[in-house]
């Protein structure tokens, strides 16, 4: 490759790392960099399985996965087995769903998506699996991937992240390493993946899911939509993530679902409904959310922790930013009437307080910020035992083309802001029946895990 081309690519990458505008953003092609090494941009055989990604059903009793081919095939298979027990294979040949996905863009590009649900899985077990596609006399198989089912204890750990693209995905090397270690039960990804899934007739979405495949195929991923998934009314998100447990949640769409896991009830809610210009859509989402929270509250003796994840924050720094002022106000308190005098819908915070939500996880802002227990734009407590209200964690700093949000750590913050960090990182949550341990760790620009940035232990008296 000519020296000038190499130099230009190097300058572009450094601009991205510094937080400038560069390749990989909306409408722009992604380029290789030191964080996205691998085969994400290779040309697959038309019948080769690709874009493998895994999700849980409640309590990890079964897994559901999706993969794609770019050409219609005669049949597909999922084979899985307990680690070191290759003679105990389970073969599935009938996917739950299979069919074409036609990108709504001008090229009407077609690919084929296949969803499989495993049979009920034994707990405390590491499984390996692969998927295959067959056409005529040709069969092609994915790599072999590995995941683990929940153990028999009351405790578990998961990772929370948001706002990650293909370029400048600083945290991806760390996530790949963690996915291989089988220590974390799932990844919660709070929106804005790929920047954007629909770009280039959907080929950027393909590239992103192949880029993330080493993680998403081994660590079940539970996602929520962000503003960058909005194209064609979120069509790419709804099709590429329709293996999420929304049917099991009595939800009409993958934009909304919930999930039980040991002592936690996790809800995924689309904050984008507040900005859809469709009041009916928002009212439907809020009605579903309230019914789900009612059911969850009735089971607090079994699952005391109630956690909601969405894309946009209800509070953030700096307060004069549009996302932290009027947009956050709409999310907290609901849409306003035309004359700005009354609220025409519920706000998220009203439901959070009513149903005693413990934690709201979100992204959108490309940094990390943790609040004290909060309500009505006020700090409600200094400590986190039997808190009087929920607290919020923004963890939108996994790494993307735009870098961290420009921020001065000396910026005057509101009293409710307990910790503010403008660099790259990942959030880790440990859950037990009486405690949440939430920590945030730096993702260094060399692609390695750095120092602990924040840690808070949340406790509550056990409900009998």
């Amino acid at each position: 490759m000519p020296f000038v081309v190499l130099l230009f690519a190097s300058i572009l990458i450094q601009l991205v790392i510094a937080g400038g505008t560069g390749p990989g953003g909306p409408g722009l092609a992604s380029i290789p960099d030191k964080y996205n090494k691998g085969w994400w941009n290779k040309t697959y055989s038309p019948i080769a399985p690709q874009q493998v990604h895994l999700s849980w059903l409640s309590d990890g009793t079964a897994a559901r996965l999706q993969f794609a081919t770019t050409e219609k095939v005669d049949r597909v298979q999922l084979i899985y087995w307990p680690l070191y027990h290759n003679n105990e294979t389970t073969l599935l040949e009938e996917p739950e769903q299979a069919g074409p996905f036609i990108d709504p863009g001008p090229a009407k590009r077609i690919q084929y998506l296949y969803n499989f649900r495993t049979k009920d899985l034994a707990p405390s077990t590491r499984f390996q699996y692969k998927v295959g596609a067959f056409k005529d006399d040709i069969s092609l198989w994915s790599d072999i991937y590995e995941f683990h089912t929940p153990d028999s204890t009351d405790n578990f750990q998961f990772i929370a992240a948001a706002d990650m693209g293909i370029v400048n995905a600083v945290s991806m090397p760390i996530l790949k390493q963690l996915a291989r270690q089988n220590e974390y039960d799932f990844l919660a990804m709070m929106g804005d993946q790929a920047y954007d899934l629909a770009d280039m007739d959907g080929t950027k979405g393909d590239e992103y899911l192949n880029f993330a495949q080493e993680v998403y195929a081994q660590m079940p991923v539970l996602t929520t939509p962000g503003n960058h998934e909005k194209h064609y009314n979120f069509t790419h998100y709804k099709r590429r993530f329709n293996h999420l447990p929304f049917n099991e949640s009595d939800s009409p769409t993958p934009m909304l679902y919930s999930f039980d896991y040991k002592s936690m009830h996790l809800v995924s809610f689309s904050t984008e409904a507040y900005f859809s210009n469709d009041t009916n859509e928002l009212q439907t989402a809020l009605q579903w959310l309230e019914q789900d929270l009612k059911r969850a509250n009735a089971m607090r003796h079994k699952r005391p922790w109630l956690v909601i994840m969405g894309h946009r924050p209800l509070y953030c720094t700096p307060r004069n930013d549009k996302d932290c002022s009027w947009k956050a106000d709409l999310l907290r308190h609901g849409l306003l009437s035309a004359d700005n005098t009354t609220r025409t819908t519920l706000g998220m915070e009203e439901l959070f307080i009513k149903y005693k939500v413990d934690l709201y996880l979100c992204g959108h802002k490309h940094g990390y910020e943790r609040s004290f227990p909060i309500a009505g734009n006020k700090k409600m407590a200094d400590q986190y035992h039997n808190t009087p209200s929920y607290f919020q964690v923004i963890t939108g700093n996994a790494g993307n083309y735009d870098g961290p949000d420009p921020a001065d750590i000396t910026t005057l913050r509101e009293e409710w802001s307990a910790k503010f960090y403008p660099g790259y990182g990942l959030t880790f949550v440990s859950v037990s029946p009486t405690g949440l341990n939430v920590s945030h760790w730096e993702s260094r620009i060399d692609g390695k895990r750095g120092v602990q940035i924040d840690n808070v232990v949340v406790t509550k008296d056990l409900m009998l």
Side-chain angles (χ1 to χ4, degrees):
M1 184 179 292
F3 173 77
V4 173
V5 175
L6 286 171
L7 179 61
F8 179 67
S10 175
I11 291 170
L12 282 177
I13 292 170
Q14 293 305 314
L15 283 172
V16 169
I17 292 172
T21 301
L28 299 174
S30 299
I31 63 170
D33 66 18
K34 64 182 180 181
Y35 307 117
N36 63 24
K37 295 175 182 177
W39 298 103
W40 57 271
N41 58 349
K42 80 172 187 179
T43 301
Y44 281 79
S45 166
I47 72 165
Q50 58 172 293
Q51 304 170 49
V52 183
H53 48 296
L54 186 69
S55 188
W56 278 136
L57 299 186
S58 279
D59 289 315
T61 54
R64 184 179 282 129
L65 64 87
Q66 183 185 95
F67 68 95
T69 62
T70 56
E71 188 175 285
K72 188 176 182 180
V73 299
D74 297 331
R75 57 193 176 94
V76 291
Q77 290 183 351
L78 164 65
I79 300 177
Y80 61 95
W81 59 94
L83 184 65
Y84 308 127
H85 295 272
N86 298 32
N87 59 334
E88 300 177 17
T89 60
T90 299
L91 170 64
L92 299 179
E93 298 186 281
E94 296 293 334
E96 282 188 319
Q97 294 185 44
F101 169 39
I102 303 173
D103 174 74
K108 305 301 178 191
R109 178 175 166 269
I110 302 176
Q111 61 180 308
Y112 296 84
L113 304 180
Y114 313 92
N115 289 9
F116 275 98
R117 181 198 185 278
T118 68
K119 296 180 179 179
D120 287 353
L121 299 170
S124 303
T125 305
R126 288 164 66 180
F127 284 92
Q128 292 184 318
Y129 74 95
K130 61 181 179 178
V131 292
F134 302 78
K135 185 167 186 179
D136 300 327
D137 295 325
I138 301 173
S139 63
L140 292 177
W141 291 90
S142 71
D143 290 341
I144 293 175
Y145 299 107
E146 183 178 315
F147 68 98
H148 70 274
T149 53
D151 64 27
S152 58
T153 72
D154 291 330
N155 306 328
F156 70 96
Q157 302 177 86
F158 71 94
I159 303 171
D163 301 84
M164 185 166 67
I166 300 172
V167 171
N168 199 40
V170 179
S171 299
M172 182 56 84
I174 302 167
L175 287 171
K176 287 182 177 180
Q177 182 181 13
L178 294 172
R180 292 190 293 267
Q181 293 175 356
N182 281 293
E183 293 179 12
Y184 296 91
D185 286 17
F186 59 88
L187 169 66
M189 179 62 73
M190 282 82 68
D192 280 9
Q193 302 178 81
Y195 292 93
D196 298 335
L197 293 171
D199 278 357
M200 291 92 177
D201 301 307
T203 58
K204 191 187 278 188
D206 299 354
E207 290 178 345
Y208 175 82
L209 288 172
N210 285 323
F211 166 57
Q213 188 169 239
E214 195 174 333
V215 176
Y216 286 14
Q218 301 191 99
M219 187 186 299
V221 61
L222 297 161
T223 69
T224 195
N227 55 297
H228 280 278
E229 278 83 54
K230 67 182 179 182
H231 301 288
Y232 310 119
N233 192 26
F234 296 88
T235 294
H236 275 264
Y237 180 87
K238 291 173 182 176
R239 289 301 306 276
R240 294 177 187 268
F241 293 100
N242 67 0
H243 65 313
L244 293 164
F246 72 97
N247 283 318
E248 293 81 357
S249 311
D250 296 325
S251 165
T253 170
M255 307 278 281
L256 311 162
Y257 64 91
S258 63
F259 166 79
D260 294 328
Y261 204 86
K262 296 191 179 182
S263 58
M264 182 182 73
H265 183 73
L266 179 67
V267 182
S268 175
F269 182 78
S270 173
T271 56
E272 301 316 296
Y274 278 91
F275 304 96
S276 67
N277 296 318
D278 184 344
T279 305
N280 290 332
E281 177 186 341
L282 176 57
Q283 295 285 22
T284 298
L286 290 168
Q287 289 169 10
W288 173 86
L289 177 60
E290 182 156 27
Q291 289 304 310
D292 189 84
L293 294 177
K294 281 182 181 178
R295 288 192 294 266
N297 255 356
M299 298 298 293
R300 291 300 272 265
H301 62 286
K302 185 177 181 180
R303 286 180 288 275
W305 297 108
L306 182 46
V307 178
I308 297 183
M309 63 178 189
H311 180 61
R312 296 175 187 259
L314 274 60
Y315 298 92
C316 55
T317 300
R319 60 189 172 196
N320 60 348
D321 183 282
K322 64 182 179 180
D323 289 314
C324 309
S325 54
W326 68 268
K327 289 187 176 182
D329 180 81
L330 288 183
L331 292 169
R332 291 197 301 269
H333 302 301
L335 299 184
L336 282 163
S337 59
D339 60 2
N340 292 331
T341 59
T342 57
R343 300 286 177 172
T344 60
T345 68
L346 288 173
M348 293 172 64
E349 185 168 85
E350 181 177 346
L351 294 175
F352 287 12
I353 300 301
K354 181 177 180 180
Y355 294 101
K356 296 180 171 57
V357 170
D358 295 295
L359 168 62
Y360 177 54
L361 290 167
C362 57
H364 193 60
K365 303 302 292 179
H366 299 167
Y368 172 83
E369 188 167 22
R370 170 176 58 86
S371 77
F372 287 106
I374 191 171
N377 205 26
K378 294 180 181 179
K379 180 174 71 171
M380 303 301 290
D382 289 308
Q383 50 77 39
Y384 292 81
H385 178 67
N386 291 338
T387 58
S389 60
Y390 72 100
F391 72 105
Q392 176 189 268
V393 169
I394 300 172
T395 180
N397 55 344
N400 60 62
Y401 76 100
D402 206 25
D405 287 339
D408 182 350
I409 60 173
T410 64
T411 297
L412 182 64
R413 307 201 318 268
E414 301 287 348
E415 185 187 20
W416 53 257
S417 180
K419 183 68 178 180
F420 179 78
Y421 167 65
Y424 298 108
L426 294 167
T427 295
F428 300 82
V429 185
S430 299
V431 185
S432 74
T434 57
L436 292 178
N437 189 318
V438 181
S439 62
H440 191 77
W441 288 76
E442 172 195 20
S443 296
R444 297 187 340 204
I445 61 171
D446 62 2
K448 296 180 180 178
R449 186 163 159 176
V451 299
Q452 182 173 279
I453 299 299
D454 188 32
N455 181 244
V456 64
V457 178
V458 187
T459 55
K460 63 170 63 179
D461 296 331
L462 189 62
M463 300 176 68
L464 300 177

